[in-house]
Amino acid sequence: MEFIAAGTGQVVFTPKDTTSYFYESFECQPAVTNGYGGLQFTVEGPAGASFALELQTTSSCSANDGTYKSHYTIIENLTGSRQTINVPLVGFDNEPNYDAVVGWVWAVFSQSNVQWSIGNITWICGNVAQPTSPGSTSVPTRSTIVPTATRSTIAPPVTTSQPATCSNLLIDDWASQSRLTFLGYNAMGQATSDDGTMSSVVVSNNRVLLYPKDANSYFYSQFGCLNANNRYGGISFRVRAARGTSFSVALGWSDSCGSNNVKTVSLTTAQLKWTFDGTEKLYSFPFSAFSGVDTTKLDMIYFSGLNAGVILGPISFYCGSTATEYVAPASSPAPSALTRTTTQVATPSAKGYVIDTFSNENTNSLGEWHGPDEGMAVTFGNNAITIRTNDSDQSWNTQLANKCADLRNLTGGYLHIAYSGSNKFSIALQQHNSKCNETMAPYPETWDSVEASRYATTSDIYVPITHFSINLQRVIGFNLRGFYTSEPTTITKIEIVTSIPSNFKIPPKLASGRLVFACTRPNSFAFAIDDGNPEYIPQVMKILKEANIPLTFFTVGLPLLDQSNGLAAAYKDMASRGHQIALHSYTHPKMEGLATEQAIDWEIQNDIGAVRQVFPNLRSSYFRPPFGTEGARMRQRLAANLNDPEPYIVGWSIDVEDWLWAESSTPNKQLDAFKRDLAKGGNLMVMHYLHQSTVDLLPEFIKLAKASGKRLMRVDQCLEDPKAPALT
């Protein structure tokens, strides 16, 4: 959908195109046995408009295996105002089993980019009169496999019924690097990987670059036992490869769905009569080219034998005998950024001062420390530094004081950075902890960030001090972070000035949320666990039940929608026991490092959508950035997409370092890391249930936290959120 929102007993939406849809799924309903004769709902759409109504049924409610058949009817000639539609359980195509209904889908809206609404969806008892527009089996195009971002809770591994017309079925559109290489999912929600055999696998602009390491490199994408018979004729995708490039393409199929016995037939590009000249072209093959393939149980496509790098476009099944391509849709309009009101305070007696002119590699112009994070490429020369990094985790720091600097007398001033080159980074002003003691956790306590490019000309950056929402009595210094391009940035001066050029226009301050690393409630402690390996969930649940403590789970959206791993059911159980469920991105990338705001929005919007699919009534304003990587763009887009100027961006002050020690020969160092940070005053934890050693240590972590005398609770409770459940 271009837009969708719920309220006042209806869902209001704007279809993006004819592939847009809205669905309702539920436990199998024996409608006839229970005395239901049809479905009733209200609808409002353009006068004369129409849409398809899909009925989803299974073989029987007692033997529901997750597969379904689709049956269609058309609702036509809408009045243009809100009206009630009664649809009897007759007239649907393909002989539906009305005593085993598992879902309804509203789709193929005849007019897009206009507002529609649906409400009051109700089963009707007894006989239902035929609608004014009787059912039709001639239904416009709609994919029968739901796209990953809004996948139905009833997974369709086998397509058993289709409407009369057809559109390309997407296998992968290369929408996300982390979806592919971190989580290993394609657009169908099925497994895809090179198993580490490639030298590099890089996703960009709906394309993937596969660069082989050697002759044994391969890449595959699975379909989930797809029945393409009498519907799809083959597979198409664009390829860009140098002249002389060759590789093999294999199709795999199974004897039966769920079987591990996958058979393959392989053809070389020469056998397919494909040649390349360095330009991008559409290539395709019919299933008939692969002798003996069972198209009713297709399992995967497999690329191997690459003698050079290739770039692939979106891969899809095409309909019938004529090869067509899937074209990735343009990005949806992004929600507007939220602005924050700031007051410019006049301080005529205050004087600005120079912070850094980079004449010394170890100290700035104030005699305080400056320097990069370890591993950051920084070059000193001629009273300037040049930064080259596209790692959004790395940063340059310049401190204002050894402990706490007080900038209250400069609230009317401006940070000025003289620079050349790229301005694709964030600027943060860091706040010290309450004791101004760097040996205490957290250090820093927090910071606020602005997007450098919004405040920049080609040579100068001016940011009002009031655009940094921190405690100005406890300033540590400035921090340049969140670089999202490898283009170099050269900086010659950092200073605070009391005036700016008359022709420089200050942009509004954009809302950037609350970055937190510690609980604020006295004597509190919060376990905040990120996603991990689903096989360890039962053990985690058992430990938490025995410990009788509430905590917070930050969940990645895409695995939450994977029905095979049990995460959704486990998290529903966790939520019912009083644990907090919060957001953690859709595919777990370093979000500030993503190239565009659209890519950041995609992660946030799909994560919100995935969580709401499993928890329809949950509206979380708590988000933990993957890897802890944040910056101004990510924070601003989070606030905009949640329509909340102050969402919580949740870090940590206790890190068990499972990422470092869990699979090492000394896994108990995770316990040492916990003790170290607890002794520093840390009270907000990060861990994952990725490894057995970490899960085995969870009871010890809980025991140590309790022994500290602190009360264990959820993150929202430890941050004294008035919307959090009351402590019991």
Side-chain angles (χ1 to χ4, degrees):
M1 293 295 180
E2 196 77 42
F3 162 84
I4 188 163
T8 63
Q10 60 184 314
V11 60
V12 179
F13 53 88
T14 301
K16 185 181 300 181
D17 51 39
T18 56
T19 66
S20 300
Y21 58 87
F22 174 80
Y23 68 86
E24 294 278 358
S25 58
F26 36 82
E27 291 186 6
C28 187
Q29 177 64 246
V32 176
T33 298
N34 288 344
Y36 296 123
L39 186 76
Q40 182 182 88
F41 57 90
T42 61
V43 63
E44 183 175 358
S50 64
F51 61 93
L53 182 65
E54 176 186 346
L55 169 70
Q56 296 177 341
T57 67
T58 189
S59 57
S60 72
C61 287
S62 60
N64 185 10
D65 61 357
T67 65
Y68 65 81
K69 290 185 177 182
S70 297
H71 318 270
Y72 298 88
T73 189
I74 292 290
I75 308 298
E76 300 175 305
N77 300 320
L78 297 189
T79 63
S81 58
R82 181 173 300 280
Q83 62 189 109
T84 299
I85 302 291
N86 294 328
V87 182
L89 294 183
V90 294
F92 286 84
D93 72 324
N94 201 28
E95 301 180 350
N97 179 3
Y98 294 117
D99 223 24
V101 181
V102 293
W104 292 95
V105 185
W106 289 255
V108 203
F109 300 95
S110 62
Q111 294 187 35
S112 56
N113 299 312
V114 296
Q115 184 168 294
W116 296 66
S117 68
I118 296 171
N120 300 324
I121 304 169
T122 312
W123 288 103
I124 308 175
C125 299
N127 294 327
V128 178
Q130 288 276 0
T132 304
S133 301
S136 167
T137 58
S138 178
V139 180
T141 302
R142 188 180 90 72
S143 170
T144 57
I145 292 190
V146 181
T148 305
T150 51
R151 187 160 83 237
S152 169
T153 54
I154 303 171
V158 182
T159 303
T160 54
S161 173
Q162 301 85 27
T165 56
C166 175
S167 62
N168 285 50
L169 175 61
L170 181 63
I171 299 169
D172 210 334
D173 55 356
W174 321 116
S176 164
Q177 178 79 51
S178 54
R179 184 180 75 184
L180 176 63
T181 55
F182 183 77
L183 296 178
Y185 288 98
N186 60 22
M188 300 177 76
Q190 301 296 328
T192 182
S193 181
D194 69 320
D195 292 333
T197 63
M198 291 283 176
S199 175
S200 61
V201 178
V202 180
V203 171
S204 179
N205 297 322
N206 297 111
R207 300 292 188 271
V208 62
L209 166 65
L210 303 177
Y211 202 88
K213 184 183 300 181
D214 51 40
N216 296 317
S217 298
Y218 62 84
F219 180 86
Y220 66 87
S221 197
Q222 294 185 341
F223 312 142
C225 198
L226 180 82
N227 181 359
N229 205 29
N230 299 321
R231 181 170 179 80
Y232 303 110
I235 292 176
S236 66
F237 48 92
R238 287 187 169 270
V239 181
R240 180 180 177 184
R243 193 180 305 276
T245 299
S246 63
F247 53 89
S248 295
V249 181
L251 271 183
W253 74 96
S254 303
D255 290 328
S256 61
C257 290
S259 168
N260 291 324
N261 183 23
V262 178
K263 302 175 181 179
T264 60
V265 173
S266 180
L267 294 176
T268 66
T269 48
Q271 290 171 316
L272 289 167
K273 302 187 185 308
W274 291 358
T275 59
F276 310 103
D277 61 8
T279 63
E280 184 178 278
K281 296 178 181 177
L282 180 66
Y283 294 82
S284 64
F285 56 78
F287 296 136
S288 58
F290 292 79
S291 177
V293 169
D294 182 356
T295 58
T296 66
K297 301 179 186 67
L298 290 175
D299 183 80
M300 70 173 177
I301 186 171
Y302 182 95
F303 300 90
S304 62
L306 287 80
N307 69 345
V310 299
I311 297 175
L312 306 181
I315 303 180
S316 67
F317 294 95
Y318 64 81
C319 302
S321 59
T322 302
T324 57
E325 67 175 311
Y326 173 89
V327 179
S331 300
S332 302
S336 299
L338 304 182
T339 59
R340 297 296 303 269
T341 301
T342 58
T343 303
Q344 197 70 6
V345 180
T347 54
S349 61
K351 294 182 179 180
Y353 57 88
V354 174
I355 299 170
D356 219 333
T357 56
F358 311 103
S359 59
N360 184 295
E361 290 194 17
N362 298 313
T363 58
N364 59 23
S365 300
L366 302 175
E368 301 294 341
W369 174 79
H370 69 183
D373 289 345
E374 184 178 352
M376 189 180 199
V378 177
T379 304
F380 273 84
N382 196 24
N383 292 101
I385 58 168
T386 298
I387 299 171
R388 290 182 177 89
T389 181
N390 63 350
D391 186 343
S392 52
D393 257 345
Q394 295 184 326
S395 61
W396 169 270
N397 307 274
T398 188
Q399 291 191 350
L400 303 187
N402 185 35
K403 290 185 177 293
C404 286
D406 190 341
L407 293 190
R408 286 178 296 171
N409 69 328
L410 284 165
T411 52
Y414 304 83
L415 172 69
H416 171 232
I417 299 177
Y419 84 106
S420 61
S422 171
N423 55 30
K424 294 181 178 180
F425 59 90
S426 297
I427 305 167
L429 185 58
Q430 297 177 319
Q431 174 182 312
H432 218 314
N433 55 47
S434 60
K435 302 297 183 182
C436 296
N437 184 347
E438 65 181 59
T439 67
M440 291 181 58
Y443 170 75
E445 186 175 78
T446 188
W447 57 81
D448 194 18
S449 301
V450 298
E451 191 178 349
S453 61
R454 296 187 64 245
Y455 297 81
T457 67
T458 57
S459 59
D460 296 277
I461 299 169
Y462 292 98
V463 185
I465 297 300
T466 54
H467 281 207
F468 296 103
S469 300
I470 68 165
N471 184 341
L472 294 176
Q473 289 180 265
R474 293 197 265 125
V475 171
I476 298 173
F478 289 98
N479 172 273
L480 310 183
R481 58 190 304 104
F483 292 84
Y484 57 101
T485 178
S486 57
E487 300 168 12
T489 301
T490 298
I491 301 174
T492 56
K493 181 183 283 189
I494 300 177
E495 62 181 339
I496 295 178
V497 298
T498 56
S499 62
I500 60 175
S502 59
N503 61 348
F504 188 89
K505 184 177 181 181
I506 297 293
K509 161 66 175 173
L510 298 184
S512 52
R514 292 174 279 197
L515 180 64
V516 296
F517 294 92
C519 297
T520 60
R521 186 185 295 272
N523 207 40
S524 64
F525 188 102
F527 279 82
I529 300 180
D530 298 353
D531 276 338
N533 188 334
E535 72 175 89
Y536 300 127
I537 273 283
Q539 184 181 351
V540 172
M541 294 173 68
K542 182 175 182 291
I543 292 169
L544 297 181
K545 186 176 181 180
E546 291 175 352
N548 191 29
I549 62 167
L551 51 68
T552 298
F553 287 94
F554 290 96
T555 180
V556 177
L558 185 53
L560 189 66
L561 296 180
D562 185 344
Q563 297 166 56
S564 66
N565 62 28
L567 274 181
Y571 280 177
K572 283 182 179 179
D573 184 63
M574 295 289 195
S576 71
R577 298 174 187 272
H579 300 292
Q580 180 186 8
I581 307 298
L583 305 168
H584 194 39
S585 84
Y586 189 59
T587 68
H588 207 274
K590 290 184 177 181
M591 289 177 59
E592 189 64 26
L594 296 175
T596 65
E597 286 189 352
Q598 290 78 13
I600 296 173
D601 285 345
W602 187 87
E603 285 289 336
I604 296 170
Q605 291 168 3
N606 280 288
D607 191 28
I608 293 169
V611 171
R612 287 184 182 175
Q613 182 171 320
V614 177
F615 300 95
N617 298 319
L618 177 64
R619 299 295 182 268
S620 178
S621 289
Y622 287 78
F623 178 82
R624 173 168 277 170
F627 310 101
T629 305
E630 56 72 51
R633 293 186 309 145
M634 185 227 81
R635 294 174 63 166
Q636 290 162 183
R637 298 315 303 159
L638 180 68
N641 281 284
L642 291 175
N643 195 29
D644 180 353
E646 292 191 333
Y648 291 91
I649 299 103
V650 182
W652 54 83
S653 48
I654 291 186
D655 182 1
V656 301
E657 297 179 346
D658 46 9
W659 50 273
L660 179 61
W661 304 115
E663 292 187 294
S664 73
S665 59
T666 55
N668 273 359
K669 285 186 178 293
Q670 297 172 93
L671 197 59
D672 295 339
F674 183 93
K675 293 176 180 177
R676 175 201 66 208
D677 290 348
L678 184 65
K680 289 181 178 180
N683 57 18
L684 178 51
M685 180 179 171
V686 62
M687 65 163 278
H688 307 78
Y689 52 90
L690 277 169
H691 308 291
Q692 185 67 61
S693 67
T694 310
V695 177
D696 288 345
L697 286 171
L698 179 56
E700 285 298 313
F701 298 148
I702 294 172
K703 181 179 178 181
L704 286 168
K706 287 183 174 180
S708 72
K710 294 181 170 63
R711 185 173 182 180
L712 277 57
M713 60 191 68
R714 298 164 29 146
V715 170
D716 56 351
Q717 292 172 324
C718 94
L719 292 173
E720 302 175 276
D721 187 340
K723 293 181 287 188
L727 294 176
T728 57

